[in-house]
Each structure stands twice: as C-alpha cells, then as structure tokens.
Amino acid sequence: MKKVLILNRRAPYGTTVAAEALDLALLSNAFEHEISLVFLDDGVFQLKREQTQPLLTQRNISLTYTGLAEFGIEKIYVEKTSLAARGLTVADLLIPVKLLSSQALGQLLATQDILLNF
Amino acid sequence: MNFVLLIKAGHAHAAAMSAYHFARAAIQKNHIIQQVFFYQDGVYLANNLATPAQDDIAVSQCWTQLAEKYQIPLLVCVAAAAKRGVLDQETATYYDKSVTNVEQPFVLVGLGQFAAALANADRVISFDGVC
C-alpha cells in the first residue's frame, strides 16, 4: 500500500473541491493506503471551528473532519505561515493538528509515494 | 513504468488534453497507462452530448480513440458524475432520469477503483484546472 498525501489548498466553501478531496481521502483510507492530510494556503480555513450551517452555501463538511480520527486518519498537518497569515492559531481549529514549517513540509512531501493536490 | 492519470478539470481547461498528450508520449516510450480516472469537473469529458465547434479539438474523441487503440480503462467517478448530470444507463435508471450520456470506453465506477489502482502505480500524475 502507498503513502498518499493530500494537499488541501482551497477554502472549504465556494467550490466543491474540499468536499471531493475529503471523499478521496476517506476512500483511499478504506483501501488501506497510509493517508496524510496537509492544509495550507486558504485550505487552513477547512479546519476552522464554528462552521455554522445557516451561513453556508453548501453541505457543512466540518463534521467530516472531526470524524477523521475514527477512521484512523490521524496524520493531519497544517502549514504554519498559512495559519498565521490568516489570523488563526491552533486554538481556532476543529481537531488536533501538527504544525509544520514550509521547510518541514517539504521534507514530509519527500517521504510520500503519491501527492494529490486539491 | 506503470502510470495512473487523474483528470480533475473539464472542457474549460487544458487538463484533459495535456493528459492525452502525456499518455500518448508515455505509450510511445513503452510505459503502461494502467488507468485514467476522471474526477471533479473531469467527469464532463464523459458527457457524449458535449459538442465542440468544428474547428475545435474534440478532447473526448481523442481519449476514446486512444483508449480503444491501447485498451486503456477510462474510469469516471460515479458520484462526481451523477451530481453533474453525467449518467449511464444504470445511474439514469437509479435516479429515474430519461436521458443517458455516457458510452464506452468511458465507464462510471466508484472512487474506490482509483484508490485500488494506486497500489500498483509507479506514478500518479494529476491534471488540474488552473484558476
């Protein structure tokens, strides 16, 4: 089985990209690949707390992130400067994550078999 | 080398055509295209009602010819396709629709078929829309 890393770079709503990346993560996990999720750029907003239903234009996907650990997806990384640039800290996030510098992110990417960019 | 290609953008982007050129070049160098998987807006390539202008490149037709010549599976995510109105006979019946617009060699399958193919892939190449 492969080490599959999914890069999430887009805001959670406005497009279906985040939702379709999540579907792919869950399916690949079901096929016993080792899944890592990285959130960077506007992708860090996907993990923001308090994504409240009435304000959304699409299905609220935030519950899926809180359920990831149940499926054994626990390698979840957030790129540090993306988070800070958007005025966020780990306290603003839905789930526990590992913070990575861009340099550490580069090292992580180098250890993977497959990178999928969303 | 054994390649899996992932196409994630539709007619508004060059992704599917770039992937086609990549596949042809890879085959010429004796590599194997194990699977082409159409996901997100890439599923629109399977819509046989799409009608390019006469002087335009018919992307889906290019893929059909290549797939038939070299027996390349063209697999389309059924969930992504259904929500975009890309339906084969089975999904049309299931959702009670009167029209179908997918034909061979494009085949609607579960996303799991892509996940399964990753196990044997030497390389997975993703073709995206840029916006």
Side-chain angles (χ1 to χ4, degrees):
Chain A
M1 295 300 113
K2 296 289 169 71
K3 290 185 174 182
V4 179
L5 184 145
I6 298 178
L7 283 160
N8 297 282
R9 315 184 69 149
R10 307 280 289 268
Y13 307 101
T15 72
T16 56
V17 172
E20 288 177 318
L22 260 181
D23 287 344
L24 187 56
L26 290 167
L27 255 299
S28 300
N29 184 60
F31 279 77
E32 297 179 349
H33 297 297
E34 186 183 320
I35 307 300
S36 301
L37 299 180
V38 172
F39 296 85
L40 76 159
D41 300 338
D42 277 352
V44 300
F45 286 126
Q46 293 180 29
L47 297 182
K48 174 91 176 56
R49 278 183 194 276
E50 294 163 358
Q51 299 177 27
T52 50
Q53 191 62 52
L55 298 173
L56 299 179
T57 52
Q58 290 162 236
R59 169 173 63 93
N60 186 341
I61 58 173
S62 65
L63 291 175
T64 314
Y65 298 107
T66 54
L68 287 174
E70 281 175 48
F71 293 102
I73 300 179
E74 288 171 324
K75 295 187 171 70
I76 298 177
Y77 304 92
V78 170
E79 198 271 321
K80 210 185 286 183
T81 54
S82 299
L83 197 62
R86 286 159 184 81
L88 299 174
T89 70
V90 285
D92 296 307
L93 303 182
L94 284 163
I95 50 174
V97 301
K98 284 186 195 127
L99 281 184
L100 290 180
S101 65
S102 59
Q103 192 186 6
L105 174 58
Q107 287 162 357
L108 175 67
L109 300 187
T111 65
Q112 301 295 309
D113 297 315
I114 295 170
L115 306 176
L116 297 171
N117 188 35
F118 283 89
Chain B
M1 220 176 247
N2 190 342
F3 285 98
V4 168
L5 306 189
L6 177 64
I7 298 177
K8 301 195 296 178
H11 298 94
H13 298 278
M17 209 55 211
S18 301
Y20 167 79
H21 289 303
F22 178 89
R24 276 208 333 176
I27 291 164
Q28 276 166 14
K29 296 279 184 191
N30 295 319
H31 296 297
I32 293 165
I33 307 295
Q34 182 193 336
Q35 175 186 110
V36 182
F37 196 84
F38 296 85
Y39 193 46
Q40 299 182 285
D41 282 357
V43 302
Y44 286 126
L45 273 300
N47 174 7
N48 68 7
L49 297 176
T51 312
Q54 265 185 350
D55 57 351
D56 235 343
I57 293 169
V59 189
S60 300
Q61 203 180 324
C62 290
W63 269 113
T64 296
Q65 285 165 0
L66 195 71
E68 285 174 349
K69 188 168 176 186
Y70 297 105
Q71 310 295 308
I72 304 168
L74 301 185
L75 306 185
V76 182
C77 176
V78 61
K83 72 179 175 187
R84 291 171 173 82
V86 177
L87 304 173
D88 63 3
Q89 188 59 59
E90 194 183 334
T91 46
T93 305
Y94 182 80
Y95 293 108
D96 199 20
K97 303 286 183 183
S98 57
V99 176
T100 68
N101 56 352
V102 175
E103 60 191 351
Q104 294 279 345
F106 291 95
V107 182
L108 301 192
V109 299
L111 189 50
Q113 294 255 351
F114 173 73
L118 299 182
N120 302 319
D122 295 312
R123 293 284 187 279
V124 178
I125 316 283
S126 179
F127 294 85
D128 294 22
V130 179
C131 41

